[in-house]
Amino acid sequence: IYEGQRSVNPDQRVFILTRSAFAGMQRYPAAVWSGDTSSTWTAMRAEITAGLGFCLSGLPYWSMDSGGFSTPARFSSGKDFDEWCELNARWFEFATFVPLLRVHGESPNREMWEFGGESSPTFTAEAKFDRLRYRLLPYIYSVAGNVAQEGDTMMRALVMDFASDTNVFEIGDEYMFGPALLVNPVTRYQARSRAVYLPQCNGGWYNAWTGSDFEGGQTIQAPAPFDAIPVFVRAGSIVPFGPEIQYVGEKPADPLTFFIYEGADGDFNLYEDDGLTYKYQKGKFATISFHWDDLNHLLTIGKRKGSFDGMLRKRTFQFVVISREKPAGFSFNPVPEQAVSYQGEAARLNFN
């Protein structure tokens, strides 16, 4: 299919969604989903480990039917409606942090307004995470760029990043999404907390929702209200967020807001291309490096490398620094500490 499509329209990106996979398929633009799983808590828990095993095999683009596909009679009949709503909310929160977010399944309908309307807890939770996914696109697309350029993986079993910590070897229900985010899905009905192991790492971890800091190498009981699964950010992380959008390409990715988490040195490479063609395979893409010097509270923005058609020549970069002394949780309306007008030249910002 890939070869046929490219022979007809060689510069239009091909996308294939398939449930058949084989070693070497990462060379082609295919995303694999886990098939017609059941809409049960057991199936959702199994999906986490299945996705991690799949990505460990070297195939980076894995997906699933958020909410499960085959609906048990007690849900399809409306008998256990409250549990049905919570199952879908929790599954959507988990699905926000996989390579491809998709909702699909048998009746009843799965659109977020079908779970009691736009004032319902389920709609509110899913809309929150839907907004978060779109705001995270600069981070997600940069990680995807690293998949294409360096053979990286987006959804990462903990052993990939913390191989010296033997405590992570048997953990199959939490994982890294890119280099910064530790994701801990909730897979039990009416659970409002869950045990989270924070791997050993330099500088520790921050609760993404509150900004509270924790040392690595310990298990904690993390709060998990209906509208928030536990997500932690590794110290030294630099996480870019884009503007509020309803769909990709709605508006330019400007301004970008970078959340910087103190406690360790850190790096992030912002990757961008035209998002539509294969010109990136011919070098038509741009990268901007960011380095955080934790000791001196100094951020270095590198000179832009490369270019592509339609690239923004002038940008606004905003920065929010989160520390133990000044904790701050994620906000859709952050108040930046500093901002810089970036036109491709290197710059340094001091946050002392």
Side-chain angles (χ1 to χ4, degrees), residues 134-139 141-142 238-245 251-259 268-272 288 290 299 301 312 314-320 334 336-342:
Y134 277 103
R135 297 293 292 270
L136 274 171
L137 277 179
Y139 174 80
Y141 201 73
S142 293
I238 303 170
V239 184
F241 287 82
E244 189 87 13
I245 57 173
K251 63 180 72 167
D254 189 68
L256 295 186
T257 302
F258 294 79
F259 286 73
F268 188 80
N269 205 37
L270 183 70
Y271 172 91
E272 296 175 308
I288 303 171
F290 295 80
L299 179 72
I301 308 172
L312 290 174
K314 185 176 181 179
R315 320 287 298 270
T316 298
F317 293 155
Q318 303 176 155
F319 301 95
V320 177
E337 296 177 36
Q338 291 197 47
V340 62
S341 179
Y342 181 81

Side-chain angles (χ1 to χ4, degrees), residues 75 78-87 122 189-190 226:
F75 290 150
K79 177 184 175 184
D80 295 311
F81 183 69
D82 288 346
E83 184 177 352
W84 170 244
C85 291
E86 185 164 332
L87 173 67
T122 301
Y189 180 42
Q190 294 182 330
F226 191 97

Side-chain angles (χ1 to χ4, degrees), residues 38-41 44 64-72 75-76 80-96 101-115 121-123 125-127 129 186 189 226 229:
S38 61
S39 296
T40 62
W41 295 98
M44 179 169 63
M64 61 183 169
D65 293 341
S66 179
F69 181 83
S70 300
T71 314
F75 290 150
S76 60
D80 295 311
F81 183 69
D82 288 346
E83 184 177 352
W84 170 244
C85 291
E86 185 164 332
L87 173 67
N88 279 270
R90 290 305 198 191
W91 212 318
F92 192 93
E93 291 164 4
F94 160 37
T96 299
L101 167 59
R102 312 169 36 255
V103 178
H104 178 63
E106 291 181 332
S107 178
N109 294 340
R110 309 301 180 88
E111 291 85 357
M112 61 182 71
W113 53 83
E114 298 284 354
F115 300 101
T122 301
F123 180 92
E126 291 197 12
F129 276 78
V186 174
Y189 180 42
F226 191 97
I229 59 173

Side-chain angles (χ1 to χ4, degrees), residues 77-271:
S77 66
K79 177 184 175 184
D80 295 311
F81 183 69
D82 288 346
E83 184 177 352
W84 170 244
C85 291
E86 185 164 332
L87 173 67
N88 279 270
R90 290 305 198 191
W91 212 318
F92 192 93
E93 291 164 4
F94 160 37
T96 299
F97 302 101
V98 302
L100 182 65
L101 167 59
R102 312 169 36 255
V103 178
H104 178 63
E106 291 181 332
S107 178
N109 294 340
R110 309 301 180 88
E111 291 85 357
M112 61 182 71
W113 53 83
E114 298 284 354
F115 300 101
E118 294 187 13
S119 62
S120 71
T122 301
F123 180 92
T124 301
E126 291 197 12
K128 171 184 173 180
F129 276 78
D130 189 58
R131 290 178 67 198
L132 177 61
R133 175 78 178 197
Y134 277 103
R135 297 293 292 270
L136 274 171
L137 277 179
Y139 174 80
I140 295 170
Y141 201 73
S142 293
V143 176
N146 212 40
V147 170
Q149 302 295 331
E150 305 293 339
D152 208 347
T153 302
M154 302 178 77
M155 189 176 178
R156 306 175 63 82
L158 297 184
V159 70
M160 299 177 73
D161 294 289
F162 309 100
S164 62
D165 185 349
T166 58
N167 294 313
V168 308
F169 288 4
E170 301 298 325
I171 296 178
D173 66 343
E174 54 181 276
Y175 60 94
M176 296 296 293
F177 185 59
L181 305 178
L182 176 65
V183 181
N184 306 271
V186 174
T187 58
R188 289 190 301 109
Y189 180 42
Q190 294 182 330
R192 295 298 179 265
S193 68
R194 64 152 286 177
V196 172
Y197 179 72
L198 301 172
Q200 299 172 18
C201 69
N202 184 26
W205 299 87
Y206 290 88
N207 184 316
W209 307 113
T210 67
S212 301
D213 67 286
F214 299 86
E215 294 296 324
Q218 63 169 326
T219 298
I220 65 170
Q221 196 67 24
F226 191 97
D227 67 342
I229 59 173
V231 178
F232 291 83
V233 189
R234 189 175 182 173
S237 294
I238 303 170
V239 184
F241 287 82
E244 189 87 13
I245 57 173
Q246 295 289 313
Y247 57 90
V248 175
E250 177 188 1
K251 63 180 72 167
D254 189 68
L256 295 186
T257 302
F258 294 79
F259 286 73
I260 302 171
Y261 293 82
E262 285 190 12
D265 291 351
D267 294 278
F268 188 80
N269 205 37
L270 183 70
Y271 172 91

